[in-house]
Amino acid sequence: MSELTSARPLTAYGWDAGFADSFAPHADQGWVPGRIVRVDRGRCDVVVADGDGTRHVLADTALVTTGDPLAIMCTGDWAAVDPAAGYVRALLPRRTAFVRSTSSQRSEGQILAANVDHAVIAVSLAVELDLGRVERFLTLAWESGATPLVVLTKADLVPDAAVLGHLLADTEAAAPGAQVLAVSAETGEGVDVLAAALAGGTSVLLGQSGAGKSTLANALVGEETQVVQTTRDRDGKGRHTTTTRNMLPLPHGGVLIDTPGLRGVGLWDAEAGVARTFAEIEALAADCRFHDCAHENEPGCAVLAAVDGGELPQRRLDSYRKLIRENEWIASRTDARLRAEKVRVWKQMRMDLRRTGGPKRGGSR
């Protein structure tokens, strides 16, 4: 029996021929394929096939834990699991990965979800619309390889249809190439449209605390799977009701990964993501006089001409510049860290050689 056939019950979780091919080298070990639905303190919850259905296995992650923060397992990963020993033995290659930079001083990336088809960016209409934050999330989403979808939540708090229309239009202008929906989990408005867009794939739900992610997740799943708390009245912020990344099966097919609220969404190697988020600026830049135009004060700059002519909002250009600078800064710090690591390894090798009496500088005498 092929890996694709034996693991057919996992189809609802995204299993397909491609993942079956990736798992094939592990099949003779007596291991089984599974999808990680939750990671917590050195152990993970993995869903595996069980006859015509599925079951959950609690597995130890020690054998696949490395010092590389981008290689660490996360919700959405496919794995080779040894159910008898209770270990994850290997991780299958990822198709997509949603990564942000950490807030640490080490300039490391943090992976939030893997093998995602749709990145649902939840933005609350209970507070003032922050288009700059929308663009930041979009940049990370495009960079991940997933297709972003912006959801303006709590639409019932904007009863004026004209005002809601303007908010949708502003968001669409800031999200070229991405679908934008106004949704109210309270009234059900737009939930069916969103559910149809997500059916059959893997989606990750992203946004700040208080954006209504858990309420939206419950509406999509069709039951109260996630705890919901009200936002603070003074600033509309939430209380981190979701503390881990959980994978939830959707009634119309596919799965949804709900994530904790993100206070910081720093870029991580997101040059392509910036280009997709600001596609109209990239298109204008092709007509600049100089190919390396920075769109600051250069003569013949098509981007500045578009701003002067009212075709491009100054806010969009300012946001573009900000994210470009941030991405370049992160890249420079990362390069410096990698160089420092190479120097450390080189010094350690020389010390080891000296201790073992190996080749020394200048050759043997």
Side-chain angles (χ1 to χ4, degrees), residues 121 123 129-139 150 171 174-175:
I121 301 166
V123 182
L129 186 60
D130 186 345
L131 294 177
R133 182 166 288 272
V134 172
E135 290 160 343
R136 180 176 291 273
F137 271 105
L138 281 165
T139 296
V150 183
T171 306

Side-chain angles (χ1 to χ4, degrees), residues 195-206:
L198 304 183
T202 296
S203 304
V204 61
L205 191 52
L206 305 160

Side-chain angles (χ1 to χ4, degrees), residues 227-247:
V227 177
V228 176
Q229 293 185 9
T230 57
T231 56
R232 300 195 301 245
D233 291 337
R234 67 179 182 275
D235 55 13
K237 294 183 179 179
R239 296 182 173 88
H240 285 293
T241 55
T242 301
T243 56
T244 58
R245 299 174 188 92
N246 303 297
M247 182 179 290

Side-chain angles (χ1 to χ4, degrees), residues 13-86:
Y13 284 86
W15 182 255
D16 59 24
F19 287 120
D21 289 342
S22 296
F23 178 76
H26 307 294
D28 294 337
Q29 305 293 327
W31 305 339
V32 298
R35 193 160 198 196
I36 297 173
V37 299
R38 177 173 173 152
V39 179
D40 188 19
R41 297 180 182 179
R43 300 180 74 83
C44 65
D45 185 3
V46 190
V47 62
V48 300
D50 185 19
D52 293 332
T54 60
R55 65 186 175 95
H56 288 252
V57 173
L58 190 62
D60 195 295
T61 66
L63 298 181
V64 293
T65 299
T66 72
D68 183 353
L70 295 182
I72 193 170
M73 67 170 52
C74 69
T75 302
D77 269 323
W78 284 96
V81 184
D82 183 349

